[in-house]
Amino acid sequence: MIDQIKTKAKELLKTKKVDIVIGYKKASDRIGAIPAFIDKEGDIDKLIWDGYCVYNLSNYLKDFPGKKIGIVTKGCDAKSMTVLLQENQLKREDIFIIGIECSGIVDEKRKGGDIAYDERCKGCKPATPPIYDVLIKEEEKKQAPRLEQDPYESVRKLETKSIEEKFKFWQDEFSRCIRCYACRQICPLCYCPRCVAEQTQPAWFSKAVSVEGNFSWNVNRAMHLAGRCIDCGECERACPVGIPLRDINKKIEKDVKELFSYEAGVDTEQKPLFSSFDKNDPEDFIK
Amino acid sequence: MSEWEPKIVGFLCNWCSYAGADLAGTSRLEYPPNIRIIRLPCSGRVNPLFILKCLSNGADGVLISGCHIGDCHYSEGNFYARRRFAVLKKLLEYLGIDPRRFQMSWVSASEGDKWARLVTELVEEIKQAGPNKDFVRKND
Ligand code: SF4
Ligand code: SF4
Ligand code: SF4
Ligand code: FES
């Protein structure tokens, strides 16, 4: 598999089809994988592919304006590219997608230990990228148990709690937020040149670590990803204090599916959720 | 408890709900004075951040009110608002905010009576929900 990736990368660079190939290379701990930005044929051998290739590389596409990019792409990463295309943040002709038929990535917290598929891979539908220019297949099928599990299990569990319990649960979680914005930086779809979190006129919420500031930031982030988040799970992985951000993202994903039959990142022609509407959208909550 | 009176912020579109509230006033309909109205061009102008700002600064309730579907002055503003706030409403509840604190309504320019009734009911509901102490600012 990695040989096929390297061959394709070499061909793309050699024929000048792309200026740079974004893929994965070994991290300094010799276990994990980090993004690799390859613009010389000589560096191609650094490329790797294994279960530690967790980063959603589509986050880096915006860093090379005007360049043609070849990019190693898992199923979930291709979905965020689909959203970027919908939102006119990318030109399809500027990227060459080296699609990987992903068989799931490893739970990073168990680095070096047993192979355990990450939560986000369970129930991941297109393990095969919805868009690609070339598809590289996994030789052995060692797929994570997909679809068997209800992807909204933990959301449903939280939904049944009382309003007080929910408030307490989330306040306990949010109280640890240090407002580092790692969740935003790692997200391929949080690309605003100036985030509202940094805005001062008006300052929409406190920048200090505070009850209201932490709450408002987290609600704001979630709302800005509504109908856009493709559940790559990177925000939750990046959060240094372990706030279960996927439980918020998935809640919105579930509601949006139920209310508007809308799913993010499946179709480049689809209009963004909040830039479209249906005349018959539900309004039983409106008086 | 009897002295506490809820504070409610209302975001009203200029063309229908604001006019409806105005009509309630000129018709001398009585309704509780707990609502502070902010006039906006359209319900589609309301950003979820407005709601967060109100709730986190101690408002006991927030109301968005616009034209009925089909009547929006800008044709489509309330369609967008309806989608956006259907999502926010569910999210806030999921995060533990009493759903009574955030509500939405369509009130036309001729529905002064509906406006008066709506505010009366809203105030009653929010009285039951009690004061919003969720976001007492601690360090700022
Ligand atoms: S919000 Fe999180 S899970 Fe969703 S796309 Fe962004 S990083 Fe991925
Ligand atoms: S949180 Fe919102 S404003 Fe900030 S970068 Fe993400 S999408 Fe943009
Ligand atoms: S990564 Fe975690 S701690 Fe940092 S701002 Fe996001 S939620 Fe808060
Ligand atoms: S003008 Fe009233 S909702 Fe748009």
Side-chain angles (χ1 to χ4, degrees):
Chain A
M1 198 163 182
I2 182 60
D3 294 333
Q4 284 165 278
I5 297 175
K6 285 182 184 168
T7 312
K8 197 74 212 173
K10 188 175 236 157
E11 176 200 317
L12 289 172
L13 285 173
K14 201 174 208 147
T15 56
K16 300 242 180 324
K17 225 176 153 184
V18 305
D19 303 303
I20 190 159
V21 172
I22 309 180
Y24 299 92
K25 65 178 180 189
K26 271 262 175 282
S28 53
D29 64 4
R30 319 222 39 77
I31 302 173
I34 55 171
F37 304 93
I38 311 274
D39 57 3
K40 289 189 285 292
E41 269 182 68
D43 286 342
I44 284 173
D45 271 334
K46 288 188 184 153
L47 286 172
I48 59 157
W49 172 257
D50 62 23
Y52 288 108
C53 296
V54 293
Y55 281 81
N56 181 342
L57 298 178
S58 65
N59 193 23
Y60 304 100
L61 288 167
K62 60 179 178 293
D63 298 340
F64 302 94
K67 290 243 156 75
K68 300 263 188 216
I69 306 170
I71 180 164
V72 177
T73 306
K74 305 191 288 292
C76 46
D77 311 357
K79 287 209 273 176
S80 46
M81 270 182 231
T82 306
V83 177
L84 291 169
L85 287 163
Q86 275 174 5
E87 295 174 355
N88 294 322
Q89 298 300 313
L90 280 182
K91 287 205 193 78
R92 185 65 183 87
E93 60 272 24
D94 285 347
I95 47 171
F96 188 96
I97 303 173
I98 308 173
I100 304 280
E101 199 180 57
C102 170
S103 55
I105 48 165
V106 168
D107 183 347
E108 268 225 324
K109 293 185 272 312
R110 307 181 57 168
K111 222 181 229 185
D114 312 339
I115 294 283
Y117 287 106
D118 202 273
E119 273 305 312
R120 55 183 132 162
C121 300
K122 300 178 183 158
C124 158
K125 259 196 248 154
T128 306
I131 45 169
Y132 56 80
D133 294 299
V134 59
L135 183 66
I136 298 180
K137 293 195 196 270
E138 185 85 281
E139 299 100 23
E140 296 159 64
K141 284 269 175 210
K142 37 181 168 59
Q143 303 270 352
R146 289 169 210 274
L147 304 178
E148 290 147 33
Q149 201 183 328
D150 173 12
Y152 302 114
E153 197 186 313
S154 76
V155 172
R156 281 186 228 275
K157 217 175 269 167
L158 273 165
E159 278 173 344
T160 58
K161 288 185 193 263
S162 74
I163 201 85
E164 292 79 19
E165 285 169 331
K166 287 178 191 158
F167 189 75
K168 184 170 181 314
F169 174 85
W170 286 109
Q171 285 305 312
D172 285 349
E173 297 292 341
F174 294 155
S175 68
R176 297 196 307 277
C177 175
I178 51 170
R179 308 291 288 283
C180 63
Y181 304 125
C183 48
R184 174 189 75 188
Q185 295 311 110
I186 202 78
C187 177
L189 302 173
C190 259
Y191 52 70
C192 305
R194 173 166 292 182
C195 174
V196 287
E198 264 99 48
Q199 207 175 307
T200 50
Q201 288 182 325
W204 284 108
F205 42 82
S206 166
K207 287 167 183 53
V209 170
S210 57
V211 181
E212 62 96 10
N214 291 8
F215 181 84
S216 296
W217 158 248
N218 278 286
V219 177
N220 169 76
R221 190 202 61 82
M223 279 303 287
H224 285 187
L225 273 309
R228 305 175 63 236
C229 168
I230 48 78
D231 194 28
C232 64
E234 283 290 273
C235 47
E236 183 170 298
R237 181 179 68 86
C239 178
V241 296
I243 299 175
L245 297 172
R246 281 188 64 242
D247 280 338
I248 304 177
N249 302 340
K250 295 291 276 182
K251 162 68 180 164
I252 299 185
E253 184 188 295
K254 173 173 171 282
D255 286 346
V256 159
K257 219 183 258 176
E258 288 169 0
L259 293 169
F260 316 114
S261 316
Y262 190 99
E263 211 176 314
V266 286
D267 175 7
T268 47
E269 298 307 312
Q270 182 181 33
K271 273 200 156 194
L273 175 75
F274 288 152
S275 321
S276 55
F277 59 81
D278 188 284
K279 290 214 168 9
N280 301 315
D281 279 345
E283 61 168 13
D284 45 0
F285 67 102
I286 299 175
K287 290 197 171 163
Chain B
M1 213 49 176
S2 58
E3 286 111 71
W4 171 73
E5 283 292 333
K7 280 198 194 72
I8 302 170
V9 181
F11 293 101
L12 273 55
C13 87
N14 179 44
W15 303 98
C16 286
S17 293
Y18 193 85
D22 210 19
L23 180 65
T26 48
S27 322
R28 303 193 172 276
L29 296 176
E30 260 189 54
Y31 64 90
N34 304 62
I35 189 156
R36 275 71 165 167
I37 294 175
I38 299 176
R39 179 162 62 152
L40 296 172
C42 175
S43 65
R45 172 64 184 91
V46 184
N47 185 321
L49 283 164
F50 299 179
I51 316 303
L52 289 173
K53 184 108 184 158
C54 294
L55 291 175
S56 63
N57 280 277
D60 301 300
V62 187
L63 173 76
I64 301 175
S65 192
C67 314
H68 287 270
I69 287 296
D71 292 346
C72 172
H73 189 72
Y74 309 95
S75 311
E76 298 181 337
N78 51 6
F79 283 110
Y80 294 109
R82 184 170 67 176
R83 264 206 169 178
R84 201 179 299 152
F85 294 108
V87 175
L88 181 68
K89 178 129 177 121
K90 282 183 174 281
L91 178 64
L92 288 177
E93 181 172 357
Y94 181 72
L95 300 176
I97 304 298
D98 191 321
R100 287 173 292 193
R101 297 204 193 280
F102 170 49
Q103 306 209 25
M104 218 171 149
S105 62
W106 305 139
V107 174
S108 81
S110 61
E111 292 177 319
D113 52 337
K114 178 174 178 184
W115 174 255
R117 206 173 54 239
L118 181 93
V119 176
T120 312
E121 282 169 18
L122 187 64
V123 170
E124 211 33 63
E125 277 190 64
I126 291 175
K127 275 189 176 158
Q128 275 160 22
N132 168 16
K133 294 197 212 117
D134 290 345
F135 301 103
V136 184
R137 277 188 170 207
K138 294 208 173 102
N139 35 9
D140 203 355

